Every structure is written in C-alpha cells, then in structure tokens.
Amino acid sequence: MIVICPSCTARFQYSDERFQGARSKRFQCPKCSVVFAVQNPAIPQAPPTPREIEPEPKPTETTSRKLRDAMMASAGEAAMPAGIRYSLAFLTGPQASTVRSLATAVTVIGREEGDVIINDPETSRRHAKLEIHADGTVWLTDLGSTNGTVTEGKVIDGPTQLLDRQEFSCGRSTFMLLIRPIDSMSMD
C-alpha cells in the first residue's frame, strides 16, 4: 500500500503484512517527522472502542504558562507606529527575491491561510504571526506549526522579538524583517 503523509504529502511504500492484524498503525513521516495513524485496509473499520480513543493531553503547567505569557505579551499592544515602514524580504523559498510591505499590525504567514501565503509544503496552513507593537518592536510567534519557526538557528517556543534585518524561517522559506524610517525610504 502507499501511505501519504497528511502534513507534507510525501508518499512511501508500506507492506500490508506489517500491520500484523492491527486495526491501525501509527507512522512517522521520514520527510517531515509528523506522526499520524493509518487504517489497515485489510480490516473493515468499525467505530473505535473507548479504549482505542486517545484522550487529549492535559496542558502541563509549563504549557499553560507559555500560552498565558504569549497571550499577555500580545494583548492589546498591536498597532502600527507612525513614521516607520516594515517590510518582509523573501530570501529563500517559492517567492525568493521579493519584498512585501507590511500594512497591518498583525501579519499571519501560512501555506493556505493568512496575510502572506507561501506555496511551501514544509510550511503549515497557519504557520507564524508577526505582530508590530505601538512601541515599534516586532514580535514573531509560532502558531503551533508542524515544523516550527526558526530564528538564529533555534526553534522559537513563545513570542520572540525580531530586530531590523533579522532572519527567520517557516518551513523551507527564509525571510528578513526590514525596519526603516519613512523619511529614509524617499532617499533610497
């Protein structure tokens, strides 16, 4: 049988015999490492028993604290400051060598949803968010993406401040944040 990753759509061959009579099997994609379940095609599928249904994991104190801190960091502060122009330069990926001006205080980057849509299979549907605060700072937040959002070689785990000309990656696409006073834009 051919198994298709629901995240990156990678395809790989898997022998039906390896199910060993199990109703379903969990796989880890060799390309993007996402874990997913595949139903055994040889067994008619019945509704899962209560024992087979995995309960949703309860948030840990650390997870709850990170979510609360992320919400507090972004609560009510998004606003475009006057006199500053924010742009996003696409360094690698499908839109490489292009620059896009950021016109709103919150910009969502994603493969299918958001303000900046990138046709990158390694990018999640709603991957990351850029938030410009009234004080002129810019914050990058991962939106629970499969492959993470990376800046300075590290996957971010909460709102992370970006500086002028700082690079970050979503999937295979790399971006650079550009911050310029509007007066200097007319001289360039």
Side-chain angles (χ1 to χ4, degrees):
M1 79 181 284
I2 302 292
V3 176
I4 301 172
C5 174
S7 177
C8 71
T9 67
R11 297 169 179 256
F12 54 99
Q13 186 73 32
Y14 192 79
S15 173
D16 292 352
E17 292 85 39
R18 294 181 68 188
F19 277 98
Q20 300 175 343
R23 181 171 298 176
S24 66
K25 188 96 172 175
R26 293 178 75 76
F27 292 91
Q28 181 173 11
C29 178
K31 184 176 178 186
C32 70
S33 299
V34 73
V35 177
F36 60 97
V38 173
Q39 304 300 319
N40 185 343
I43 296 177
Q45 298 301 311
T49 64
R51 187 175 208 168
E52 293 174 323
I53 298 173
E54 294 180 22
E56 287 291 319
K58 293 182 180 177
T60 62
E61 177 63 28
T62 305
T63 304
S64 297
R65 186 177 303 134
K66 284 181 184 175
L67 290 172
R68 184 184 68 238
D69 291 348
M71 287 174 27
M72 293 303 288
S74 62
E77 296 183 25
M80 296 292 286
I84 301 175
R85 177 180 215 149
Y86 297 88
S87 301
L88 199 57
F90 297 75
L91 302 179
T92 64
Q95 296 173 338
S97 301
T98 61
V99 177
R100 180 173 177 169
S101 181
L102 303 178
T104 60
V106 178
T107 302
V108 174
I109 300 168
R111 184 183 70 238
E112 295 176 7
E113 292 181 18
D115 306 298
V116 176
I117 305 294
I118 51 176
N119 188 18
D120 179 349
E122 299 292 320
T123 301
S124 292
R125 185 174 50 84
R126 286 177 44 91
H127 196 100
K129 171 178 73 170
L130 281 172
E131 192 168 14
I132 302 168
H133 289 190
D135 64 1
T137 60
V138 180
W139 295 84
L140 175 66
T141 305
D142 184 80
L143 297 175
S145 67
T146 301
N147 296 319
T149 302
V150 178
T151 186
E152 297 182 357
K154 297 178 185 172
V155 176
I156 64 172
D157 63 353
T160 302
Q161 185 175 358
L162 293 180
L163 304 174
D164 180 38
R165 297 183 183 259
Q166 188 168 351
E167 296 179 15
F168 66 95
S169 298
C170 297
R172 293 184 185 161
S173 298
T174 303
F175 308 91
M176 178 187 288
L177 175 69
L178 301 171
I179 305 171
R180 297 285 175 265
I182 289 178
D183 295 334
S184 73
M185 295 304 292
S186 60
M187 293 180 201
D188 289 340

